[in-house]
Amino acid sequence: MSNSIGHTASILQAKTFISPTSSIAVCGGGGRGAAIREFRVGPVVSVWATKRNARLRSGVNGRSLVNWRRSVSFPMAAPRRHRFVARAVLTTGYASEHERRFNLDGDIELQVDVTPPLQGHACKIEFRVSNSYDNLVLHWGGIRDQKEGWTLPAHRPEGTRVYKNSALRTTFQKSAVDSSLKLEVNDPLIQAIEFLILDEGQNKWFKNNGGNFHVKLPQKAESIQDVSIPEELVQIQAFLRWERKGKQNYTPEQEKAEYEAARAELLEEVAKGISVEEIRRRLTKGNDQGKANEKPQSLSGSRIPDELVQIQAYIRWEKAGKPSYSPDKQLREFEEARKELQVELDKGSSLDEIRQKIIKGDIQTKVSKLLEKKSYFTPERIQRKKRDVMQMLNKYVPELVEERTFVKKKVFTVVELFADATERDAGPKLFKKIYNLGDKQLLVRATKPGKIKVLLATDLKEPVTLHWGLSKKNGEWLAPPPSILPQGSLSLEKAAETPFSTPAIDDGNQVQNLEIQIDGNDFVGMPFVLLSAGNWIKNNGSDFYIDFAATSKPEGSLPGDRPGDGRGTARNLLEKIAEMEGEAQKSFMHRFNIAADLLDEAKKAGQLGLAAIFVWMRFMATRQLIWNKNYNVKPREISKAQNRLTDSLQNIYRDCPQYREILRMVMSTVGRGGEGDVGQRIRDEILVIQRNNDCKGAMMEEWHQKLHNNTSPDDVVICQALIDYIKSDFDINIYWKTLNENGITKKRLLSYDRAIHSEPIFRRDQKEGLLRDLGNYLRTLKAVHSGADLEAAVSNCMGYQAEGQGFMVGVQINPVRGLPSGYQGLLQFVVEHVEDKQVEALLEGLLEARQDLRPLLTQSHERLKDIIFLDIALDSTVRTAIERGYEELNKAGPEKIMYFISLVLENLALSSDDNEDLIYCLKGWRTALDLLNRKDDQWALYAKSVLDRTRLSLETKAEWYQKVLQPSAEYLGSLLGIDQWAVNIFTEEVIRAGSAASLSSLVNRLDPVLRRTANLGSWQIISPVEAIGYVVVVDELLSVQNKYYERPTILVAKHVKGEEEIPDGAVAVLTPTMPDVLSHVSVRARNGKILFAACFDGDILADLRAAEGKLLHLKPKSSDIIYSSADERELIGAGSNNQKESSSLPRLSLVKKKFSGRYAISSDEFTSELVGAKSRNISYLKGKMPSWIGVPTSVALPFGTFEEVLANGLNQEVAKRIRNLQKELDAGDIRTLGEIRSTVLQLASPPQLVQELRSKMLGSGMPWPGDEGEHRWEQAWLAIKKVWASKWNERAYFSTKKVGLDHDYLSMAVLVQEVISADYAFVIHTTNPSSGDSSEIYAEVVRGLGETLVGAYPGRALSFVCKKNDLNSPKVLGYPSKPIGLYIKRSIIFRSDSNGEDLEGYAGAGLYDSVPMDEEEKVVLDYSSDPLINDGNFRQSLLSNIACAGSAIEEQYGSPQDIEGVIKEGKIYVVQTRPQM
């Protein structure tokens, strides 16, 4: 039962169209968009309404109706003529006209029955769906006029929900045979009902031929007599309206509109069947013959209390779906609520009765809380708009162009030369750094050839004394033992002082130096400062500190010592920044102006140039650089310089969309800046605070002096610390807690040019004023210094005029033009909920705000900078909110974690220049959520694939950051003497500050949940072999593939790509990355009897890494590995078994192949003397396969062709060069492998080879590339040479050496096939390689070409198994996570086919290259539209056909097969098969 009162009556504006037609339209009030009611009429009858002479004279609150009439003076003019006959037309054949049937889907049928309204009753509509689903919902609205949108009837079934304020949703009642629903429509203005039906369980819509269902409603069955409305009744009705609206002063136009609206209200009552006499009695209720002028009762009721109006307004707001209202709309809502209550009073209800009716449950408490929060019409949750996520797509991928400019030889300083001269035989370095002391330098170096030796040297001209101590723990000063004090030292209470020696180089350049030797290992570091010419010299205001435990990388400030020498950076720009740092240190104004001057050069250098600016600004923001060096700058000058810089960044953002991501990072580091007045207010307002609150001395005066000298981002923290201190009832510990948590220590406060020595001390009577004024001041500080502060960014965009005595007086910030309608309410919601502990609704609001803002970010806008900073602030708030929401997820189920992942992923996509993969991950998560909600038993398995892909996307993002930022951080860090720890973690800290880190945390939280649900376990066993060995931890398997381990080794590798060679001596490879089970490295592991497995449990991996150097015993189970400590006796036993097994293997050898005299042969000429097994197997299958399995046509360049081409006179120089390189290779110089490959590509093609290959290809029905032009043959020839050159691939060369094959005897035939432009590619092993089960086929499938499956492409393929006795029932083991698919137009592929592949006991397949003539196109894959994923019938059919093909080929050969093939338009093609190893 609703606790609302009625529904708001329509306010009609009387627009009566005088027309000879058969209808009259009456417009509904409310201004624009008002509904139009059309009444059917018979022959037009003219009715003259005459002005009555009788006048109402009764007083109304001391004012007569007559006086009101005169003062309001509605224009009465001449009597009006109204053509209006409202009469319903009786219908015939009711059953046929008012019963509608619709076929929804198959045997699902909808029947709609409409019962016409009788006098005083509603129109009834019944919906019945036969053979229906369980979760049907009617999505509906009323139609008043076809030109207008849906209206939402106030009378609606219980449980009806309002959807986005534009439709109603009512749930069908399910019975045993059908689903039904009944509606009653009592609004006479509604002419029809429009609707759709939604199956919420399957998210499926039922429509009427693509549009809405439309059911016209019949009018009342009985006629309404021709009527006219007497003018005196219109006059009384207008008076009542005027009273209800608070007796406003109307303009003449408003008076006229009100009068006509009153007439329209009465006409509406007539249309409902109420007679004129009944209307008269109602309006003049209580009058007798002698008291005709007594005021109407409706005007005599009591005044309605505001508390009831507030509650009724809240009820209206809840019914409307809790929309976000503007201030004006809120006022209108209160007025409408008041009107509704007034109507109840007019009907005779008392205030007590109304109160009892509407105050139910906890509604009064809800309203009170909202009023306290001043957020009356703020929704508890934002209703997100439905958007196509592809609208977020960005595909801006800027190229990283390394500078190719002449590098000037650096002129080294005298200190650097001294350091280089003393470097020799110094011993292992513990610490080394050169500090800039203005235009002078200080060298600090600690080495440990035995004892710790500390060397200090400087080119300061004045004598220098070292004030130093030692530390046993960080931050400690201890007096050095007297035994180690150098000559001339003075021992103090917790320190010592030692003078530097006389100059060591006497050539006009003075270098003072000092060496100290420290015995033992008791001390961890050495703090010190310098004293020269009466001045203390510190390290940016802090003590210098030598960390003896550090193993720092070279700082790069010595000759030849610079990391990478600036490779992969905008080197010239970084060096220019370093040269200008001395000037930039003077103040923020200097630094920002220098940065603005360098932006043009940075823009020309592209992404690396802008990365250089970012690295510099971040070193500044993290206080690695000096902020101010004894330079007095006015805050408005800093603000002006900051504004100049951010304006320039905004312009690049607008003009260069490919750099927007890095530009956002720069802007968030710099801060917004502002016009001069904003900066000057920093100075002015601190004076106002001091004056207003009588706090002119002590700490406040010291801070005032600091602010006048040079303001910095530290001031934001200091201001917040003061506010926290005052709010905590003046707890000084809270003051220091806020400072320390934000990196400000007492030392830092003392290091300012105008130091802050004192702690704050305030009186209690100052509390209220200080909180008010400091709160306003904090906003001013943030407006200048913070680029990611939400409140400041919102204020800058939405506009504000600050209040508060002495603050922001007369300062108006105008709102940004073009913001979406309702955006202010959306931001209001975000700001009011920004500290909520339950963050889901906040995250939705933040993302909705970012989505609404996105179109403005891609346009040229006069306030683009403010829009960018608002978006940066919203982005930053998402990150802080999600971190706060981790607690909310501790007890959450997978659905909520997945939803949070989708939100954070959306946020990351909105901030990325190249976000295509992120968007497809987002679509994948939404699909996974839908599967979960539908209780699909595959949801966890599918979600795991999306999770794996999301991880890959995050890894790609991190690699991009590392590639773009870290080289610049290292090079600039070396130039500026930045602390090495800050350089080393630079990129890591940037990543941790963004959404990518939050997303990674959520993914890690969900992974074990999905694995448990999908019964995946913690391991994927690829090659199940028991192993014993010593644990060695490596970063990449690729980095050790050529290594030889002398003892059995278990490799724990962080990264395995899939095409590596497993090094000799390795008995197991364990990794967290999951290569395909059929990848080359997986095949090699199984063939080499090496344990190979992927581990998905971080704790297990950490345990294994911690066991480095220990001997472990690994026992694989079906989905687990049991590991335990082992002893040497077990290893000896295992070693003897391995030796026996190894000795039983046949000796491998190659027979050198000779040239047959033919450059090209057709498939019917393939023999073991001419081609390898790959070509012969394809030839063998030709004509032996069922018609539904295709085998591509093939020709080949046989064995010996390469050697013959090399011996041709055209290639004498190439042959000579290869012979010389081969000698170097035989001597052990493996660097020549790459040179040999490059030399092979210089071969010229003999004319006879071209002629023979052309003849064979055309004769076999294949296209000849040269027919498309000479350049096409050159492309084909290059591809052939690349196949030959792959004989000298590193992994192939070492693999053959490992098994004792003579590399010189390896011959390379080339199989030539036409490329099939595949929809899917697959690899089949007809015996399950993981379990060895010969009754089960195992296969993997990818989109596009198969190179992503057999090559080193990240991600997993779709994998499945199928029993050979039930080939129609494939079982999916894992869904695909590969982000990239390869596609190619019609082309030719040249496949390697050597005599070193498929030898017994040796898996040489995949060592050599297959090269298409045309480059493949890399396509980012969207699995949400792939029928293999979303169409169960298609998937079952396709996988079953693949399994059948594998079974047929195995049957043909009579042994297990390793098969590669593709699918094009449903047809299977086998491109190669070989015995399964």
Side-chain angles (χ1 to χ4, degrees), residues 1049-1173:
T1049 299
I1050 297 170
L1051 290 174
V1052 181
K1054 186 176 180 182
H1055 296 288
V1056 175
K1057 292 184 176 180
E1059 60 177 8
E1060 299 93 337
E1061 191 67 29
I1062 298 175
D1064 282 343
V1067 296
V1069 178
L1070 310 177
T1071 177
T1073 55
M1074 181 62 211
D1076 293 305
V1077 173
L1078 301 185
S1079 66
H1080 295 313
V1081 70
S1082 302
V1083 172
R1084 290 185 201 115
R1086 288 190 291 270
N1087 293 337
K1089 303 294 188 290
I1090 295 167
L1091 173 61
F1092 186 28
C1095 179
F1096 306 104
D1097 189 314
D1099 293 336
I1100 294 176
L1101 280 169
D1103 197 28
L1104 289 168
R1105 292 188 183 110
E1108 185 166 18
K1110 296 179 179 178
L1111 187 64
L1112 292 186
H1113 187 179
L1114 308 179
K1115 291 184 178 181
K1117 304 295 182 182
S1118 59
S1119 60
D1120 195 8
I1121 290 181
I1122 308 300
Y1123 59 95
S1124 59
S1125 297
D1127 58 36
E1128 296 287 342
R1129 288 172 297 177
E1130 292 181 80
L1131 183 60
I1132 293 171
S1136 62
N1137 291 335
N1138 288 339
Q1139 190 174 13
K1140 289 177 185 177
E1141 185 177 307
S1142 177
S1143 62
S1144 66
L1145 292 175
R1147 182 177 177 84
L1148 299 178
S1149 62
L1150 295 176
V1151 177
K1152 192 164 186 176
K1153 301 293 184 180
K1154 296 181 180 179
F1155 181 59
S1156 65
R1158 289 174 290 175
Y1159 283 104
I1161 57 177
S1162 57
S1163 60
D1164 55 2
E1165 300 174 286
F1166 291 175
T1167 67
S1168 61
E1169 292 301 314
L1170 298 178
V1171 295

Side-chain angles (χ1 to χ4, degrees), residues 987-1015:
T987 302
E988 178 186 344
E989 287 300 306
V990 171
I991 294 171
R992 289 175 62 181
S995 292
S998 302
L999 182 57
S1000 178
S1001 177
L1002 290 171
V1003 164
N1004 292 338
R1005 185 184 291 257
L1006 180 65
D1007 194 351
V1009 177
L1010 295 180
R1011 296 195 66 81
R1012 283 196 304 270
T1013 307
N1015 298 314

Side-chain angles (χ1 to χ4, degrees), residues 532-583:
S532 179
N535 295 317
W536 290 102
I537 300 172
K538 296 185 175 185
N539 179 21
N540 291 336
S542 301
D543 298 338
F544 293 97
Y545 187 76
I546 305 172
D547 186 356
F548 297 155
T551 54
S552 60
K553 293 161 60 178
E555 294 299 316
S557 50
L558 303 183
D561 216 14
R562 188 159 294 125
D565 205 20
R567 298 179 189 277
T569 71
R571 182 171 47 209
N572 289 347
L573 178 60
L574 289 171
E575 291 175 354
K576 188 173 291 186
I577 287 171
E579 290 172 8
M580 304 184 77
E581 175 59 26
E583 180 73 9

